[in-house]
Amino acid sequence: SPGEERGVDFVKAIYEVGGASTADESLMRHSGREYGYVLKGTLGIQIGFREYELGPGDSIAFDSTKPHRLFNKGDVPVHAIWFVVGRDSDGRSRV
């Protein structure tokens, strides 16, 4: 989402079958807050030690400074709308 607004990412995320935001057993964290809405598929989300499963029409919001990982839990690609606000310029760290 290029533009004038700094610290904001607004994207359509697609996770292919077996796809994830980080490698297995690896979590990431960064500044900001995330908001997500699943359009298609089954999205797994690990935040710290908790795991959530979202399907079409489900949404989530969480503090991005908490270690997290997004991954496809199903047999079709996951399509989701993702909005991250307050992210510094790629201040990501892997945990």
Side-chain angles (χ1 to χ4, degrees):
S1 57
E4 299 289 323
E5 188 110 22
R6 294 186 58 195
V8 175
D9 287 330
F10 186 48
V11 298
K12 179 178 182 187
I14 300 174
Y15 290 97
E16 297 296 337
V17 175
S21 60
T22 63
D24 289 347
E25 307 300 321
S26 175
L27 303 174
M28 72 166 18
R29 63 180 170 193
H30 50 83
S31 60
R33 185 156 181 84
E34 300 196 25
Y35 303 86
Y37 180 82
V38 176
L39 300 168
K40 176 182 173 185
T42 304
L43 181 67
I45 302 175
Q46 181 179 350
I47 303 171
F49 294 107
R50 297 189 72 181
E51 189 174 302
Y52 304 90
E53 182 175 302
L54 278 65
D58 291 337
S59 61
I60 193 167
F62 61 92
D63 181 343
S64 302
T65 62
K66 294 181 180 179
H68 59 281
R69 179 176 184 264
L70 312 175
F71 54 97
N72 185 327
K73 284 194 77 165
D75 57 1
V76 299
V78 171
H79 292 247
I81 300 298
W82 223 255
F83 183 72
V84 184
V85 64
R87 176 188 278 184
D88 293 335
S89 60
D90 209 355
R92 301 176 196 189
S93 62
R94 299 226 191 275
V95 182

